């Protein structure tokens, strides 16, 4: 079976671990978000791609969920001693080697997708990991504070400001001229099932969908498309996704996120809601937690199951529910 998933960082990577455990023989392609990418100290850093690569390759810090296990921060301490920031971005010593290799390859002219493939030769994540684009797209957030209205890099808003300053807009800069990386559109078009993991709907999945051609590919694929809600009981399970949703005018609820993605209007189990003039959205199926049972997404089948990825077994059960609603 060919499975294609869009993915951000931690939520995406944990879900993908369940996909690989549930479907050990599947051919899994992951389209990763690169909108969080940032250049620091001359190094190109791709946090979400690395989180997926390290998580599936066995190198992730289990405690933090990002960065490397057995990590030290000597270089970061030395930079701080020079008064060189930013202090809000965690750069571990082991992790730095990844950024050095990546930057060297990019500077030599290799596209990011080639770089990711080279890094994955070491990590063997068990999936084909593709960046959403080889072009530079960086998410910026428009805020207003004592310094007036300005745009900051998403990482500054997320890590330094902890998303506590309201976002007036969240903009994936240069997305409109980006091209999907080689293989991205085919992976969506030729899949047997397309999965939207419980990643941030705005700055992870939303950014991938903002690359021209990707949203249409998901809409038009012959494969069933099933999403998993990152929102349970009106709150993000982890992180500040609520601040992102508020910025785009979407309520922080499993139903509202499902409606935001939209049903495709060809639900496997026809319902009155699906028959009503359904928007041409992305989803055939939408998984919500049992506490959100009763959520309705016109044009999609909604299934309520426990959605906390507390351990691998719980995550595998979520993946099986997604496949069940997909009918594959
Ligand atoms: P990031 O790039 O590291 O922020 O990771 P993602 O965008 O892939 O995922 C972040 C989202 O994962 C957050 O909005 C969380 O609500 C969601 N999330 C984290 N853990 C869980 C979980 O156990 N269950 C569900 N349903 N969502 C989760
Ligand atoms: Ca991210």
């Amino acid at each position: 079976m060919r499975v294609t998933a869009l993915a951000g960082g931690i939520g995406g990577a944990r879900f993908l671990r369940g996909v690989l455990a549930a479907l050990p023989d599947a051919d899994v392609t992951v389209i990763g978000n690169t909108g969080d990418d940032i250049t620091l100290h001359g190094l190109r850093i791709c946090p979400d791609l690395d989180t997926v690569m390290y998580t599936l390759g066995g190198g992730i810090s289990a405690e933090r969920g990002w960065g490397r296990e057995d990590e030290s921060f000597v270089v970061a301490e030395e930079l701080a001693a020079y008064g060189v920031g930013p202090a809000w971005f965690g750069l571990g010593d082991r992790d730095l080697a990844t950024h050095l290799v990546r930057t060297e390859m990019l500077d030599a002219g290799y596209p990011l997708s080639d770089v990711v493939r080279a890094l994955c030769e070491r990590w063997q994540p068990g999936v084909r990991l593709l960046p959403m684009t080889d072009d530079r797209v960086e998410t910026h957030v428009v805020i207003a504070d004592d310094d007036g209205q300005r745009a900051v890099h998403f990482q500054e808003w997320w890590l330094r400001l902890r998303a506590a300053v309201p976002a007036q807009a969240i903009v994936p800069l240069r997305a409109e001229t980006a091209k999907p990386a080689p293989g991205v559109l085919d992976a969506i078009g030729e899949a047997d099932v397309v999965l939207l993991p419980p990643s941030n709907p705005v700055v992870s999945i939303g950014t991938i969908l903002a690359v021209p051609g990707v949203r249409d590919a998901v809409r038009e694929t012959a494969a069933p498309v099933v999403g998993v809600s990152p929102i349970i009981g009106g709150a993000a399970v982890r992180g500040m996704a609520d601040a992102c949703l508020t910025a785009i005018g979407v309520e922080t609820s499993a139903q509202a996120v499902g409606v935001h993605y939209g049903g495709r209007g060809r639900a496997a189990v026809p319902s009155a809601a699906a028959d009503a003039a359904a928007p041409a959205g992305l989803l055939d199926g939408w998984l919500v937690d049992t506490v959100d049972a009763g959520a309705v997404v016109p044009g999609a089948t909604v299934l309520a199951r426990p959605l906390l990825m507390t351990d691998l077994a719980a995550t595998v059960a979520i993946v099986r529910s997604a496949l069940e609603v997909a009918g594959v």
Side-chain angles (χ1 to χ4, degrees), residues 206-234:
T207 309
I208 301 169
L209 292 170
V211 176
V214 173
R215 184 185 296 277
D216 284 345
V218 176
R219 260 193 200 125
E220 291 160 15
T221 182
V225 180
V226 177
V228 180
S229 176
I231 305 298
I232 296 181

Side-chain angles (χ1 to χ4, degrees), residues 284-295:
D284 295 296
W286 182 235
L287 290 193
V288 302
D289 191 84
T290 45
V291 301
D292 297 307

Side-chain angles (χ1 to χ4, degrees), residues 187-201:
I188 297 167
E190 293 166 8
D192 295 310
V193 59
V194 174
L195 299 174
L196 305 186
S199 285
N200 189 306

Side-chain angles (χ1 to χ4, degrees), residues 8-9 33 36 48 154 203-204:
N33 171 42
D36 295 9
D48 284 1
F154 167 73
V203 294
S204 293

Side-chain angles (χ1 to χ4, degrees), residues 35-153:
D36 295 9
D37 294 7
I38 189 167
T39 299
L40 294 174
H41 314 294
L43 299 176
R44 192 67 183 157
I45 302 168
C46 303
D48 284 1
L49 291 175
D50 287 354
T51 296
V52 171
M53 182 175 78
Y54 292 154
T55 301
L56 302 182
I60 201 79
S61 160
E63 187 192 336
R64 288 193 307 272
W66 55 268
R68 295 285 310 281
E69 195 69 297
D70 296 323
E71 188 57 292
S72 54
F73 291 85
V74 177
V75 174
E77 286 161 19
E78 290 295 316
L79 286 167
Y82 282 113
V84 173
W88 41 263
F89 196 91
L91 266 185
D93 300 326
R94 290 182 190 279
D95 198 25
L96 272 170
T98 304
H99 310 321
L100 285 164
V101 172
R102 176 166 39 230
T103 305
E104 193 170 353
M105 284 189 74
L106 289 171
D107 287 350
Y110 289 96
L112 181 62
S113 43
D114 282 0
V115 177
V116 172
R117 197 178 317 121
L119 295 172
C120 285
E121 271 171 33
R122 172 182 176 194
W123 290 102
Q124 297 290 317
V127 301
R128 184 165 65 118
L129 179 60
L130 304 176
M132 64 188 197
T133 178
D134 282 333
D135 299 320
R136 272 186 195 203
V137 174
E138 283 188 11
T139 302
H140 277 62
V141 180
V142 179
I143 58 169
D145 59 13
D146 297 342
D147 298 332
Q149 193 190 48
R150 65 207 161 97
V152 298
H153 192 287

